[in-house]
Amino acid sequence: MLEAINRSMVELVADIGSTDGIGSGVMAGASPDNLVFAIHNHLGNAFQLLDSSVGAINASEQYLACKSAQKELDELAGSLFRAQQNDILSERLFLRFNARIRSLIDQISDIIDTEYS
């Protein structure tokens, strides 16, 4: 299940990264730069945390990585909302990305061992 979540995360990273104003915004100096950097930071952090949860040495480590990834994904959704509010991202794209992010968060919740919560 974690492998499927990681594949979904890779697709999300690619889709958001290829979006005008976000993917090219960092290189082109789009404004506000901090918001675009935050989006990339949350994407990278969530990806890295999910990837590390696959190789976790125990359930406790996997739980912490997954919970942290969920937090990063939630922060990503917030940054994407702010990007939509600042006309960096269309409402249609925001809604599409937000639905995918919420789905990922739910999928992660499904695999978390409740014994550690």
Side-chain angles (χ1 to χ4, degrees), residues 1-10 49-51 53-55 62 66 70 102-113:
M1 182 80 163
L2 270 172
E3 290 81 12
I5 292 171
N6 271 347
R7 281 192 301 277
S8 295
M9 188 67 204
V10 167
L49 287 161
L50 285 173
D51 191 50
S53 71
V54 173
Q62 184 180 48
C66 286
Q70 285 178 310
R102 297 298 163 207
S103 175
L104 272 169
I105 290 171
D106 290 344
Q107 289 174 41
I108 294 168
S109 289
D110 291 343
I111 63 164
I112 290 177
D113 188 344

Side-chain angles (χ1 to χ4, degrees), residues 13-28 36 39-40 88:
V13 168
D15 288 347
I16 291 175
S18 68
T19 301
D20 289 340
I22 295 176
S24 61
V26 174
M27 291 182 224
V36 174
I39 290 168
H40 285 276
I88 297 171

Side-chain angles (χ1 to χ4, degrees), residues 84-100:
Q84 187 262 320
Q85 295 294 306
N86 285 297
D87 295 323
I88 297 171
L89 185 65
S90 72
E91 182 177 4
R92 178 186 61 83
L93 278 176
F94 165 71
L95 292 173
R96 190 177 95 205
F97 291 147
N98 191 54
R100 290 172 66 189

